[in-house]
Amino acid sequence: RGLAARVWRRRCRCAEAARIWRRPASRRARPLRRLCQCPSSKMSVEDVRRAVWLARIPLKVHLAREEITTTPGPVPYYMLAPRHSYLPLLVTELKEYFDHVLPPGEDQPWFDYRGLPLKWNLSIGALYDLLADEQTPWAITVHFRDFPSDVLLRCDEEETARSGFMNSLKEATYIATGSTRTIMGLTTNELDSLWDSVIKADLAQYDKLQKSKLPSSEGVEQPQSDSGPPQQSAASTGGATRMPFRIYVRREAPGDGELSAEYWHNVDYCSLPVSPHDTEGTDTLHSFVQHVLCERLPELASCAASLRNEKVVVQGTRPQWETPLDWLLTTMVGPDSFLHMCILLK
């Protein structure tokens, strides 16, 4: 009876997700996109941050064809994945759904998109922004056998994803302050609470810990803008001197055909420390991209003149060039304290 109830609830969730995604594009809510087109809207900074944290990516997950042992095979599994989450955190739910058709053997879960193995250490939001080109729902494939160890690092459990997130948070904190004391000083309960807030997309729980323990926003002067007083980045700490950016550069679009692991050679990503001195006089996204990123990243320098705001993606949105940089730093920073920015050259 308990199993039947779980199956029924799962079918209801899938049906509801499918019903929403079949709506015409004009009826789908796109609050984040509208906010970035008009950052001076009446919504408060906290309202925008909450919208970013609550953002979900619709997924249509297929089981790998070679792992299906029944006829007919299972229907795809529809789900809404938090942008800040990671692929390994979806495995438990997917294993429960596909378990009855899997062949015998040891589970080695991994994901691919059109044949391209997906890196679990990148957030689901970053992967979507780099590869999906706004495909809705994003169709990906889950595998439980034949792990491609020559391409991906193993991530057999949630603890590995958690360690990856914590290392990213430490890196951002070190960039901002030159020290990781604030993170290393957290108790086990506080670290558990932090991770729990990330996987549940619970901004209130995250902010409660941030205000008392995590990096605060004091000490970094942001550029002035016409939208109001300078805002502070959630990525910095008291006495901070730099702002942590995670920049992704995609040189070639995925196209329509099958992909292979070699496609990752078209994608570069790096952590970029940016000081207030670097951003002096760059109070908008346009000036930041042209005068900071294009000067610091050689692959962008040659195409600086052709860059348009449509090629810059931040948290699934394409902000207008005149969007204030301090507004992005205040509202779009992820839970790992990085501002993730994708540059799609093609």
Side-chain angles (χ1 to χ4, degrees), residues 138-161:
W138 189 27
I140 62 176
T141 301
V142 61
H143 302 251
F144 290 92
R145 305 290 185 267
D146 300 325
F147 186 88
S149 56
D150 57 329
V151 178
L152 300 177
L153 297 174
R154 287 194 176 273
C155 183
D156 299 325
E157 53 188 16
E158 178 183 321
E159 188 60 31
T160 310

PDB file of all heavy atoms in Angstrom, residues 138-161:
ATOM      1  N   TRP A 138      14.433  20.524 -20.205  1.00  0.00           N
ATOM      2  CA  TRP A 138      15.751  20.088 -20.648  1.00  0.00           C
ATOM      3  C   TRP A 138      15.801  18.570 -20.599  1.00  0.00           C
ATOM      4  O   TRP A 138      15.674  17.971 -19.526  1.00  0.00           O
ATOM      5  CB  TRP A 138      16.824  20.708 -19.760  1.00  0.00           C
ATOM      6  CG  TRP A 138      18.215  20.484 -20.266  1.00  0.00           C
ATOM      7  CD1 TRP A 138      18.596  20.297 -21.561  1.00  0.00           C
ATOM      8  CD2 TRP A 138      19.415  20.448 -19.481  1.00  0.00           C
ATOM      9  NE1 TRP A 138      19.960  20.149 -21.651  1.00  0.00           N
ATOM     10  CE2 TRP A 138      20.484  20.235 -20.402  1.00  0.00           C
ATOM     11  CE3 TRP A 138      19.689  20.584 -18.127  1.00  0.00           C
ATOM     12  CZ2 TRP A 138      21.811  20.144 -19.967  1.00  0.00           C
ATOM     13  CZ3 TRP A 138      21.004  20.500 -17.697  1.00  0.00           C
ATOM     14  CH2 TRP A 138      22.055  20.282 -18.612  1.00  0.00           C
ATOM     15  N   ALA A 139      15.992  17.943 -21.744  1.00  0.00           N
ATOM     16  CA  ALA A 139      15.997  16.483 -21.833  1.00  0.00           C
ATOM     17  C   ALA A 139      17.406  15.950 -21.620  1.00  0.00           C
ATOM     18  O   ALA A 139      18.307  16.194 -22.432  1.00  0.00           O
ATOM     19  CB  ALA A 139      15.459  16.035 -23.198  1.00  0.00           C
ATOM     20  N   ILE A 140      17.613  15.234 -20.530  1.00  0.00           N
ATOM     21  CA  ILE A 140      18.906  14.627 -20.228  1.00  0.00           C
ATOM     22  C   ILE A 140      18.698  13.147 -19.957  1.00  0.00           C
ATOM     23  O   ILE A 140      17.563  12.675 -19.824  1.00  0.00           O
ATOM     24  CB  ILE A 140      19.599  15.305 -19.023  1.00  0.00           C
ATOM     25  CG1 ILE A 140      18.746  15.145 -17.754  1.00  0.00           C
ATOM     26  CG2 ILE A 140      19.863  16.767 -19.313  1.00  0.00           C
ATOM     27  CD1 ILE A 140      19.430  15.701 -16.505  1.00  0.00           C
ATOM     28  N   THR A 141      19.773  12.400 -19.892  1.00  0.00           N
ATOM     29  CA  THR A 141      19.712  10.949 -19.706  1.00  0.00           C
ATOM     30  C   THR A 141      20.480  10.567 -18.456  1.00  0.00           C
ATOM     31  O   THR A 141      21.586  11.073 -18.216  1.00  0.00           O
ATOM     32  CB  THR A 141      20.310  10.218 -20.921  1.00  0.00           C
ATOM     33  OG1 THR A 141      19.575  10.584 -22.099  1.00  0.00           O
ATOM     34  CG2 THR A 141      20.247   8.712 -20.745  1.00  0.00           C
ATOM     35  N   VAL A 142      19.900   9.677 -17.651  1.00  0.00           N
ATOM     36  CA  VAL A 142      20.583   9.168 -16.478  1.00  0.00           C
ATOM     37  C   VAL A 142      21.059   7.747 -16.765  1.00  0.00           C
ATOM     38  O   VAL A 142      20.365   6.962 -17.414  1.00  0.00           O
ATOM     39  CB  VAL A 142      19.666   9.187 -15.225  1.00  0.00           C
ATOM     40  CG1 VAL A 142      18.434   8.304 -15.417  1.00  0.00           C
ATOM     41  CG2 VAL A 142      20.443   8.768 -13.981  1.00  0.00           C
ATOM     42  N   HIS A 143      22.268   7.447 -16.326  1.00  0.00           N
ATOM     43  CA  HIS A 143      22.858   6.112 -16.448  1.00  0.00           C
ATOM     44  C   HIS A 143      23.138   5.586 -15.042  1.00  0.00           C
ATOM     45  O   HIS A 143      23.508   6.357 -14.141  1.00  0.00           O
ATOM     46  CB  HIS A 143      24.184   6.160 -17.220  1.00  0.00           C
ATOM     47  CG  HIS A 143      24.083   6.724 -18.596  1.00  0.00           C
ATOM     48  ND1 HIS A 143      24.196   5.958 -19.731  1.00  0.00           N
ATOM     49  CD2 HIS A 143      23.895   8.003 -19.034  1.00  0.00           C
ATOM     50  CE1 HIS A 143      24.089   6.724 -20.807  1.00  0.00           C
ATOM     51  NE2 HIS A 143      23.912   7.969 -20.407  1.00  0.00           N
ATOM     52  N   PHE A 144      23.020   4.273 -14.888  1.00  0.00           N
ATOM     53  CA  PHE A 144      23.393   3.637 -13.626  1.00  0.00           C
ATOM     54  C   PHE A 144      24.486   2.589 -13.827  1.00  0.00           C
ATOM     55  O   PHE A 144      24.864   1.910 -12.880  1.00  0.00           O
ATOM     56  CB  PHE A 144      22.164   2.992 -12.975  1.00  0.00           C
ATOM     57  CG  PHE A 144      21.164   3.995 -12.459  1.00  0.00           C
ATOM     58  CD1 PHE A 144      20.122   4.430 -13.262  1.00  0.00           C
ATOM     59  CD2 PHE A 144      21.288   4.521 -11.182  1.00  0.00           C
ATOM     60  CE1 PHE A 144      19.205   5.359 -12.793  1.00  0.00           C
ATOM     61  CE2 PHE A 144      20.381   5.455 -10.695  1.00  0.00           C
ATOM     62  CZ  PHE A 144      19.331   5.871 -11.507  1.00  0.00           C
ATOM     63  N   ARG A 145      24.972   2.451 -15.045  1.00  0.00           N
ATOM     64  CA  ARG A 145      26.020   1.488 -15.354  1.00  0.00           C
ATOM     65  C   ARG A 145      27.057   2.150 -16.269  1.00  0.00           C
ATOM     66  O   ARG A 145      26.829   3.211 -16.833  1.00  0.00           O
ATOM     67  CB  ARG A 145      25.437   0.258 -16.061  1.00  0.00           C
ATOM     68  CG  ARG A 145      24.305  -0.446 -15.313  1.00  0.00           C
ATOM     69  CD  ARG A 145      24.791  -1.170 -14.071  1.00  0.00           C
ATOM     70  NE  ARG A 145      23.707  -1.917 -13.446  1.00  0.00           N
ATOM     71  CZ  ARG A 145      22.930  -1.437 -12.470  1.00  0.00           C
ATOM     72  NH1 ARG A 145      23.123  -0.193 -12.035  1.00  0.00           N
ATOM     73  NH2 ARG A 145      21.981  -2.172 -11.933  1.00  0.00           N
ATOM     74  N   ASP A 146      28.204   1.506 -16.412  1.00  0.00           N
ATOM     75  CA  ASP A 146      29.254   1.918 -17.359  1.00  0.00           C
ATOM     76  C   ASP A 146      29.691   3.362 -17.132  1.00  0.00           C
ATOM     77  O   ASP A 146      29.657   4.203 -18.046  1.00  0.00           O
ATOM     78  CB  ASP A 146      28.770   1.745 -18.804  1.00  0.00           C
ATOM     79  CG  ASP A 146      28.405   0.298 -19.117  1.00  0.00           C
ATOM     80  OD1 ASP A 146      29.075  -0.603 -18.593  1.00  0.00           O
ATOM     81  OD2 ASP A 146      27.430   0.095 -19.867  1.00  0.00           O
ATOM     82  N   PHE A 147      30.155   3.647 -15.945  1.00  0.00           N
ATOM     83  CA  PHE A 147      30.592   5.005 -15.615  1.00  0.00           C
ATOM     84  C   PHE A 147      31.824   5.376 -16.446  1.00  0.00           C
ATOM     85  O   PHE A 147      32.792   4.616 -16.514  1.00  0.00           O
ATOM     86  CB  PHE A 147      30.931   5.096 -14.127  1.00  0.00           C
ATOM     87  CG  PHE A 147      31.250   6.480 -13.655  1.00  0.00           C
ATOM     88  CD1 PHE A 147      30.247   7.316 -13.217  1.00  0.00           C
ATOM     89  CD2 PHE A 147      32.554   6.957 -13.659  1.00  0.00           C
ATOM     90  CE1 PHE A 147      30.524   8.601 -12.782  1.00  0.00           C
ATOM     91  CE2 PHE A 147      32.842   8.241 -13.225  1.00  0.00           C
ATOM     92  CZ  PHE A 147      31.819   9.069 -12.787  1.00  0.00           C
ATOM     93  N   PRO A 148      31.819   6.562 -17.096  1.00  0.00           N
ATOM     94  CA  PRO A 148      32.962   6.983 -17.931  1.00  0.00           C
ATOM     95  C   PRO A 148      34.073   7.603 -17.071  1.00  0.00           C
ATOM     96  O   PRO A 148      34.258   8.818 -17.044  1.00  0.00           O
ATOM     97  CB  PRO A 148      32.336   8.012 -18.875  1.00  0.00           C
ATOM     98  CG  PRO A 148      31.230   8.626 -18.063  1.00  0.00           C
ATOM     99  CD  PRO A 148      30.700   7.534 -17.171  1.00  0.00           C
ATOM    100  N   SER A 149      34.828   6.760 -16.414  1.00  0.00           N
ATOM    101  CA  SER A 149      35.841   7.252 -15.481  1.00  0.00           C
ATOM    102  C   SER A 149      36.962   8.016 -16.168  1.00  0.00           C
ATOM    103  O   SER A 149      37.710   8.744 -15.512  1.00  0.00           O
ATOM    104  CB  SER A 149      36.427   6.079 -14.683  1.00  0.00           C
ATOM    105  OG  SER A 149      36.936   5.090 -15.563  1.00  0.00           O
ATOM    106  N   ASP A 150      37.089   7.857 -17.486  1.00  0.00           N
ATOM    107  CA  ASP A 150      38.123   8.595 -18.205  1.00  0.00           C
ATOM    108  C   ASP A 150      37.705  10.029 -18.493  1.00  0.00           C
ATOM    109  O   ASP A 150      38.525  10.849 -18.925  1.00  0.00           O
ATOM    110  CB  ASP A 150      38.464   7.893 -19.516  1.00  0.00           C
ATOM    111  CG  ASP A 150      37.242   7.719 -20.412  1.00  0.00           C
ATOM    112  OD1 ASP A 150      36.122   7.578 -19.868  1.00  0.00           O
ATOM    113  OD2 ASP A 150      37.400   7.719 -21.646  1.00  0.00           O
ATOM    114  N   VAL A 151      36.423  10.345 -18.250  1.00  0.00           N
ATOM    115  CA  VAL A 151      35.908  11.687 -18.537  1.00  0.00           C
ATOM    116  C   VAL A 151      35.453  12.407 -17.273  1.00  0.00           C
ATOM    117  O   VAL A 151      35.716  13.602 -17.095  1.00  0.00           O
ATOM    118  CB  VAL A 151      34.718  11.607 -19.527  1.00  0.00           C
ATOM    119  CG1 VAL A 151      34.149  12.992 -19.805  1.00  0.00           C
ATOM    120  CG2 VAL A 151      35.148  10.941 -20.824  1.00  0.00           C
ATOM    121  N   LEU A 152      34.788  11.694 -16.366  1.00  0.00           N
ATOM    122  CA  LEU A 152      34.201  12.302 -15.180  1.00  0.00           C
ATOM    123  C   LEU A 152      34.880  11.826 -13.909  1.00  0.00           C
ATOM    124  O   LEU A 152      35.380  10.690 -13.832  1.00  0.00           O
ATOM    125  CB  LEU A 152      32.702  11.952 -15.090  1.00  0.00           C
ATOM    126  CG  LEU A 152      31.795  12.398 -16.237  1.00  0.00           C
ATOM    127  CD1 LEU A 152      30.378  11.902 -15.991  1.00  0.00           C
ATOM    128  CD2 LEU A 152      31.813  13.913 -16.388  1.00  0.00           C
ATOM    129  N   LEU A 153      34.888  12.688 -12.913  1.00  0.00           N
ATOM    130  CA  LEU A 153      35.281  12.291 -11.568  1.00  0.00           C
ATOM    131  C   LEU A 153      34.122  11.540 -10.934  1.00  0.00           C
ATOM    132  O   LEU A 153      32.961  11.863 -11.158  1.00  0.00           O
ATOM    133  CB  LEU A 153      35.630  13.524 -10.731  1.00  0.00           C
ATOM    134  CG  LEU A 153      36.820  14.360 -11.193  1.00  0.00           C
ATOM    135  CD1 LEU A 153      36.928  15.614 -10.330  1.00  0.00           C
ATOM    136  CD2 LEU A 153      38.104  13.558 -11.117  1.00  0.00           C
ATOM    137  N   ARG A 154      34.429  10.562 -10.138  1.00  0.00           N
ATOM    138  CA  ARG A 154      33.378   9.787  -9.491  1.00  0.00           C
ATOM    139  C   ARG A 154      32.688  10.621  -8.415  1.00  0.00           C
ATOM    140  O   ARG A 154      33.319  11.367  -7.682  1.00  0.00           O
ATOM    141  CB  ARG A 154      33.937   8.509  -8.877  1.00  0.00           C
ATOM    142  CG  ARG A 154      34.303   7.468  -9.920  1.00  0.00           C
ATOM    143  CD  ARG A 154      34.520   6.104  -9.291  1.00  0.00           C
ATOM    144  NE  ARG A 154      34.783   5.100 -10.303  1.00  0.00           N
ATOM    145  CZ  ARG A 154      33.849   4.428 -10.940  1.00  0.00           C
ATOM    146  NH1 ARG A 154      32.576   4.665 -10.664  1.00  0.00           N
ATOM    147  NH2 ARG A 154      34.156   3.533 -11.858  1.00  0.00           N
ATOM    148  N   CYS A 155      31.393  10.433  -8.338  1.00  0.00           N
ATOM    149  CA  CYS A 155      30.603  11.068  -7.283  1.00  0.00           C
ATOM    150  C   CYS A 155      29.529  10.070  -6.888  1.00  0.00           C
ATOM    151  O   CYS A 155      28.410  10.079  -7.398  1.00  0.00           O
ATOM    152  CB  CYS A 155      29.973  12.369  -7.778  1.00  0.00           C
ATOM    153  SG  CYS A 155      29.061  13.261  -6.490  1.00  0.00           S
ATOM    154  N   ASP A 156      29.888   9.178  -5.978  1.00  0.00           N
ATOM    155  CA  ASP A 156      29.026   8.053  -5.658  1.00  0.00           C
ATOM    156  C   ASP A 156      27.963   8.378  -4.613  1.00  0.00           C
ATOM    157  O   ASP A 156      27.075   7.573  -4.375  1.00  0.00           O
ATOM    158  CB  ASP A 156      29.868   6.869  -5.163  1.00  0.00           C
ATOM    159  CG  ASP A 156      30.859   6.399  -6.228  1.00  0.00           C
ATOM    160  OD1 ASP A 156      30.494   6.454  -7.406  1.00  0.00           O
ATOM    161  OD2 ASP A 156      31.973   5.998  -5.868  1.00  0.00           O
ATOM    162  N   GLU A 157      28.081   9.517  -3.971  1.00  0.00           N
ATOM    163  CA  GLU A 157      27.118   9.808  -2.915  1.00  0.00           C
ATOM    164  C   GLU A 157      27.008  11.315  -2.711  1.00  0.00           C
ATOM    165  O   GLU A 157      27.808  12.098  -3.245  1.00  0.00           O
ATOM    166  CB  GLU A 157      27.551   9.129  -1.608  1.00  0.00           C
ATOM    167  CG  GLU A 157      28.972   9.469  -1.209  1.00  0.00           C
ATOM    168  CD  GLU A 157      29.463   8.650  -0.021  1.00  0.00           C
ATOM    169  OE1 GLU A 157      28.829   7.618   0.290  1.00  0.00           O
ATOM    170  OE2 GLU A 157      30.474   9.046   0.571  1.00  0.00           O
ATOM    171  N   GLU A 158      26.018  11.694  -1.932  1.00  0.00           N
ATOM    172  CA  GLU A 158      25.762  13.108  -1.683  1.00  0.00           C
ATOM    173  C   GLU A 158      26.948  13.792  -1.024  1.00  0.00           C
ATOM    174  O   GLU A 158      27.221  14.971  -1.261  1.00  0.00           O
ATOM    175  CB  GLU A 158      24.516  13.255  -0.801  1.00  0.00           C
ATOM    176  CG  GLU A 158      24.189  14.690  -0.449  1.00  0.00           C
ATOM    177  CD  GLU A 158      23.001  14.780   0.491  1.00  0.00           C
ATOM    178  OE1 GLU A 158      22.037  14.008   0.323  1.00  0.00           O
ATOM    179  OE2 GLU A 158      23.042  15.639   1.404  1.00  0.00           O
ATOM    180  N   GLU A 159      27.696  13.043  -0.210  1.00  0.00           N
ATOM    181  CA  GLU A 159      28.805  13.644   0.528  1.00  0.00           C
ATOM    182  C   GLU A 159      29.860  14.213  -0.418  1.00  0.00           C
ATOM    183  O   GLU A 159      30.490  15.236  -0.118  1.00  0.00           O
ATOM    184  CB  GLU A 159      29.437  12.600   1.456  1.00  0.00           C
ATOM    185  CG  GLU A 159      30.465  13.166   2.416  1.00  0.00           C
ATOM    186  CD  GLU A 159      29.880  14.220   3.354  1.00  0.00           C
ATOM    187  OE1 GLU A 159      28.691  14.111   3.691  1.00  0.00           O
ATOM    188  OE2 GLU A 159      30.632  15.142   3.737  1.00  0.00           O
ATOM    189  N   THR A 160      30.054  13.580  -1.577  1.00  0.00           N
ATOM    190  CA  THR A 160      31.033  14.089  -2.536  1.00  0.00           C
ATOM    191  C   THR A 160      30.585  15.423  -3.104  1.00  0.00           C
ATOM    192  O   THR A 160      31.388  16.357  -3.255  1.00  0.00           O
ATOM    193  CB  THR A 160      31.234  13.075  -3.672  1.00  0.00           C
ATOM    194  OG1 THR A 160      31.481  11.786  -3.126  1.00  0.00           O
ATOM    195  CG2 THR A 160      32.406  13.484  -4.551  1.00  0.00           C
ATOM    196  N   ALA A 161      29.278  15.534  -3.443  1.00  0.00           N
ATOM    197  CA  ALA A 161      28.747  16.802  -3.939  1.00  0.00           C
ATOM    198  C   ALA A 161      28.841  17.879  -2.869  1.00  0.00           C
ATOM    199  O   ALA A 161      29.157  19.040  -3.150  1.00  0.00           O
ATOM    200  CB  ALA A 161      27.294  16.624  -4.385  1.00  0.00           C
TER     201      ALA A 161
END
